[in-house]
Amino acid sequence: MSWTRKIILGVIAVAAVAGVAAFVTFTQYFPSVPTGAVAANLVANCGVSTTTALTVTPATVTAGSPFALVYSCSSGTAAISVTNGPITKIPTEAPAIGAGGMPTTLSLIAPGATCTASAGIALAQSTAVSIPTGDYNYCATGTTAPVTGVVSFTVTWG
């Protein structure tokens, strides 16, 4: 066999091996990705201390007259916000709604909504309530404002 022929066969052999190496296949494995639950959240936007207390509108009531009060943040921000709702929470009012000097109804209303005894999501003492995603102010109503005015109160969410 001639030297030239050996070189040509060698080149062909190298090209064949290189061609096979260039067409090697491989497999990559991808892990599964489970769905994740995004937790619902209830956030107080203000009112968590006496220095950031909720603002009430109107600022006064007339003794012996019906009243409707909206409690919100002084900045115009809603009192509470729910993200990724609905969320179920239990409100506890102190003193309880309907007690002396207290409103007779308490509910959550959308900012800008009219506050009436039947408006929004009614809140009852220590009773679970489902709240959809959104921003809310408190609406407190009564049929007869006390002579001394409506007392201050707290709502604890559990």
Side-chain angles (χ1 to χ4, degrees), residues 2-3 9-10 38 40 48 53 55 71 75 86 114 148:
S2 73
W3 178 250
L9 286 176
V38 179
V48 294
T55 299
Y71 293 87
S75 63
T114 301
T148 55

Side-chain angles (χ1 to χ4, degrees), residues 141-158:
T141 67
T143 54
T144 307
V147 173
T148 55
V150 177
V151 299
S152 67
F153 61 97
T154 61
V155 176
T156 302
W157 291 95

Side-chain angles (χ1 to χ4, degrees), residues 16 34 66 80 87 96 101 107 112 135 152:
I80 63 171
I87 190 169
S107 61
D135 295 322
S152 67

Side-chain angles (χ1 to χ4, degrees), residues 6-57:
K6 285 182 184 176
I7 291 177
I8 292 174
L9 286 176
V11 169
I12 291 173
V14 169
V17 170
V20 170
F23 292 107
V24 172
T25 61
F26 60 89
T27 302
Q28 291 182 304
Y29 294 91
F30 294 78
S32 63
V33 180
T35 58
V38 179
N41 196 20
L42 175 67
V43 176
N45 294 320
C46 64
V48 294
S49 71
T50 55
T51 58
T52 63
L54 294 166
T55 299
V56 61
T57 304

Side-chain angles (χ1 to χ4, degrees), residues 36-155:
V38 179
N41 196 20
L42 175 67
V43 176
N45 294 320
C46 64
V48 294
S49 71
T50 55
T51 58
T52 63
L54 294 166
T55 299
V56 61
T57 304
T60 61
V61 293
T62 302
S65 297
F67 62 91
L69 304 170
V70 175
Y71 293 87
S72 62
C73 296
S74 62
S75 63
T77 304
I80 63 171
S81 296
V82 173
T83 55
N84 303 313
I87 190 169
T88 299
K89 290 290 188 177
I90 300 173
T92 303
E93 299 89 14
I97 295 302
M102 285 290 288
T104 53
T105 68
L106 184 65
S107 61
L108 297 175
I109 60 171
T114 301
C115 178
T116 65
S118 60
I121 302 166
L123 303 179
Q125 181 73 8
S126 302
T127 302
V129 62
S130 178
I131 310 168
T133 298
D135 295 322
Y136 300 93
N137 288 324
Y138 292 94
C139 167
T141 67
T143 54
T144 307
V147 173
T148 55
V150 177
V151 299
S152 67
F153 61 97
T154 61
V155 176

